[in-house]
Amino acid sequence: MVNLKALEVWFVTGSQSLYGEETLRQVAEHSKTIAGSLNDATQIPVKVIYKPTVKSTEEIYSICMEANTSKNCIGIIAWMHTFSPAKMWISGLKILQKPLCHLHTQFNRDIPWNDIDMDFMNLNQSAHGDREFGFMVSRMRMNRKVVVGHWQDPEVLVELNTWTRAAAGWNDWQGAKFVRFGDNMRFVAVTDGDKVEAEYKFGYAVNTHGIGDLVEVIDQTSDAAIDLLISEYEEQYTLVPSLKKGGAQYSSLRDAAKIEIGMRAFLEEGDYKGFTDTFEDLHGMTQLPGIASQRLMASGYGFAGEGDWKTAALVRAMKVMGSGLEGGNSFMEDYTYHFDPSNPMVLGSHMLEICPSIAVGKPSCQIHPLGIGGKADPVRLVFNAAAGPAINASLIDMGNRFRLLVNEVEAVAPMHDLPKLPVARVLWKPYPDMKTGCAAWILAGGAHHTGYSQNLTAENMQDFAEMANIEFALIGKNTNLYQFKNELRWNEVYYQINK
Ligand code: MN
């Protein structure tokens, strides 16, 4: 996966020359201490780099310019220890292309009741210095995250963690390439969309390869490479007897391994961060990639079925955001409902392709017929997913804008074995409740395909949407349908005006 520690956020403190050398020396010292402490905090997954205090229009412009062109800088944390007249920030903020977090903090946590004097007041002005800065960012209608509290406060560290992870996901999209093997599933609406607008808005490119290009690479796979991968399957999964060496369907397992090796080679060769395929376009392939897509997702590739490039890209970003955290992220689909009024829930799954990063226990490697696609039986990993809080996220193209929709859910342990269900599965309860959650999702036009996450929160996704400057809609514990419908209507007007 992605090593987040290779990425940097820059800690930039604003001030002005007016205060004189001694005060500015202390400002710099305090800033170094805070940046160092954030850098060392285990809660923050990226490096936090101290930058010299900026005191003029020119210095601010330069640091923003530098941040834009720095490959490793994924965002700026700004703090005004003293007063930093905000007209000085206009030209810099105007060109800033990296995400911005405004840390509204103060060097000392408490007021030193007995010692406080005008020198202290002169130095510790963030309570009003940060307001001047905040005004300018609002005046310029810029999205940013505002984090309030003492820099050692664990809650502040959690919020900074959330934002830096979103910034890492956003950074990963810039210049990213996604490949589609075949086009969209025919006639399907929600998985389609404007790829030109997506590249302009999100920074990633989506291009298609005919399935023949992939088949050519798959066919170059050596028997030795297949043997090696099969021994990995044997080690990591419980193989059903028919897939074991000498079993009736062992050759299907070899076909599946061959597909995985070929796809991996194709993705590496093209420097792709994710892919889609579709069961309607498998010309020259023996089976729909099942275990291949599952394992490629587990390696960090974004994936979605049926040509759904928006969800594939979203799954990739979510994997980057969740990098290093317990739990996983997967492509998901709301499949079937349990409408028992005393215990309603959703069964999430797909034809085959759920990522084993969300599995509880050792997945079982199985083979079953697939009713659609007209190909040989595909090999897949079957497992249950862990219980606990999770989210479903869907990125949809509303025609005049993209909307990121998130539903907070609670995954529950399966009450039954589901012995005849030949796919990986998750059971969850949507918040605020089944009826409201599902109605709100449908009213918002949310897709049946989602990115499902065990380790990200709605706040990660909101920060991410703000970096992308797109609409964000949340269905969570406090959602009420009346309010939610109004929010969607009001957003409609907002996005017509704010183009
Ligand atoms: Mn699907």
Side-chain angles (χ1 to χ4, degrees):
M1 236 356 279
V2 171
N3 174 21
L4 297 184
K5 267 293 170 202
L7 304 174
E8 303 171 355
V9 296
W10 291 2
F11 190 85
V12 176
T13 306
S15 188
Q16 58 181 327
S17 305
L18 176 83
Y19 298 109
E21 247 172 64
E22 176 50 23
T23 301
L24 287 172
R25 190 192 58 74
Q26 290 179 72
V27 167
E29 200 178 292
H30 291 169
S31 302
K32 255 183 224 168
T33 304
I34 296 176
S37 165
L38 297 179
N39 185 54
D40 294 340
T42 51
Q43 295 94 326
I44 296 177
V46 303
K47 284 184 209 151
V48 179
I49 307 288
Y50 161 80
K51 291 287 168 184
T53 314
V54 288
K55 310 173 295 296
S56 65
T57 307
E58 293 72 21
E59 286 173 2
I60 292 165
Y61 182 84
S62 282
I63 194 80
C64 293
M65 189 64 125
E66 233 183 282
N68 285 346
T69 54
S70 159
K71 209 168 151 34
N72 293 331
C73 174
I74 61 166
I76 281 183
I77 298 178
W79 172 52
M80 309 300 124
H81 191 344
T82 55
F83 200 78
S84 178
K87 286 187 200 170
M88 297 189 322
W89 283 85
I90 295 173
S91 60
L93 290 176
K94 206 161 137 189
I95 58 146
L96 182 64
Q97 287 161 4
K98 298 283 168 96
L100 176 64
C101 175
H102 181 186
L103 178 58
H104 184 43
T105 191
Q106 182 169 280
F107 187 68
N108 55 303
R109 195 192 72 173
D110 298 343
I111 293 173
W113 303 108
N114 292 325
D115 303 324
I116 189 166
D117 57 13
M118 272 329 280
D119 284 345
F120 182 92
M121 299 275 275
N122 195 35
L123 177 63
N124 296 282
Q125 301 187 32
S126 44
H128 65 279
D130 271 332
R131 288 172 197 238
E132 165 77 356
F133 177 74
F135 162 73
M136 185 48 70
V137 189
S138 289
R139 171 70 179 76
M140 293 174 73
R141 272 74 173 174
M142 286 174 69
N143 288 342
R144 79 289 204 186
K145 188 179 184 82
V146 178
V147 175
V148 180
H150 190 249
W151 47 281
Q152 289 170 316
D153 176 353
E155 277 179 22
V156 164
L157 297 176
V158 167
E159 285 179 64
L160 289 174
N161 174 27
T162 301
W163 177 81
T164 50
R165 285 181 177 280
W170 178 245
N171 178 68
D172 187 72
W173 265 11
Q174 307 315 305
K177 294 196 286 177
F178 293 90
V179 61
R180 301 201 309 159
F181 300 119
D183 206 313
N184 257 52
M185 179 177 167
R186 290 185 273 276
F187 303 107
V188 176
V190 76
T191 55
D192 223 323
D194 186 340
K195 297 196 284 295
V196 174
E197 186 67 12
E199 183 160 354
Y200 172 57
K201 214 65 199 166
F202 302 136
Y204 63 70
V206 182
N207 286 291
T208 301
H209 270 270
I211 206 77
D213 293 348
L214 174 61
V215 169
E216 209 175 288
V217 179
I218 291 172
D219 285 345
Q220 288 164 16
T221 309
S222 72
D223 280 342
I226 296 173
D227 289 340
L228 202 67
L229 186 56
I230 286 192
S231 58
E232 200 178 318
Y233 291 175
E234 285 165 346
E235 198 184 291
Q236 294 183 10
Y237 317 116
T238 309
L239 267 59
V240 292
S242 70
L243 289 178
K244 289 183 180 162
K245 199 164 185 174
Q249 289 166 301
Y250 179 65
S251 68
S252 294
L253 187 68
R254 293 192 71 86
D255 285 343
K258 188 175 169 181
I259 290 172
E260 178 182 336
I261 294 163
M263 289 182 106
R264 200 177 286 273
F266 194 102
L267 295 171
E268 279 170 11
E269 176 64 27
D271 200 19
Y272 294 111
K273 290 178 172 176
F275 65 104
T276 68
D277 61 12
T278 167
F279 64 91
E280 283 180 334
D281 192 353
L282 295 171
H283 195 79
M285 287 183 84
T286 49
Q287 47 178 280
L288 175 63
I291 190 171
S293 298
Q294 293 180 292
R295 285 171 45 87
L296 286 163
M297 255 191 283
S299 307
Y301 288 102
F303 169 82
E306 292 100 39
D308 185 353
W309 51 273
K310 294 193 300 299
T311 305
L314 185 64
V315 167
R316 164 66 186 191
M318 291 169 82
K319 283 182 173 288
V320 172
M321 285 191 249
S323 191
L325 296 175
E326 284 281 312
N329 291 275
S330 178
F331 169 53
M332 188 58 67
E333 180 167 309
D334 299 66
Y335 229 99
T336 298
Y337 290 145
H338 185 59
F339 266 146
D340 172 1
S342 69
N343 191 24
M345 60 182 98
V346 181
L347 174 73
S349 188
H350 204 253
M351 280 187 283
L352 306 167
E353 313 93 336
I354 299 298
C355 178
S357 67
I358 65 168
V360 62
K362 191 176 185 176
S364 149
C365 183
Q366 305 182 11
I367 182 163
H368 302 273
L370 186 68
I372 48 177
K375 291 285 167 178
D377 300 357
V379 176
R380 78 288 306 274
L381 299 172
V382 179
F383 52 85
N384 288 315
I391 56 167
N392 270 312
S394 170
L395 182 60
I396 53 173
D397 183 344
M398 291 299 290
N400 64 342
R401 66 185 187 277
F402 290 101
R403 169 181 287 161
L404 183 61
L405 177 66
V406 171
N407 188 192
E408 294 175 319
V409 304
E410 188 70 28
V412 295
M415 314 161 296
H416 304 282
D417 282 345
L418 317 174
K420 290 191 175 168
L421 186 68
V423 285
R425 72 300 293 256
V426 193
L427 285 165
W428 68 75
K429 293 170 162 297
Y431 283 111
D433 58 72
M434 181 83 170
K435 285 191 177 201
T436 313
C438 294
W441 188 273
I442 285 172
L443 287 166
H448 55 292
H449 283 172
T450 57
Y452 176 86
S453 179
Q454 295 171 326
N455 55 23
L456 299 175
T457 63
E459 196 180 331
N460 284 116
M461 302 314 289
Q462 183 174 9
D463 288 352
F464 185 74
E466 286 182 2
M467 288 167 194
N469 200 19
I470 59 167
E471 181 185 6
F472 177 78
L474 172 66
I475 306 166
K477 289 176 185 161
N478 300 318
T479 295
N480 131 340
L481 267 190
Y482 171 78
Q483 189 62 38
F484 189 74
K485 277 188 195 178
N486 278 335
E487 191 181 316
L488 296 178
R489 283 192 194 106
W490 296 334
N491 282 356
E492 205 61 62
V493 178
Y494 172 83
Y495 284 94
Q496 286 298 336
I497 294 168
N498 187 34
K499 280 186 176 150

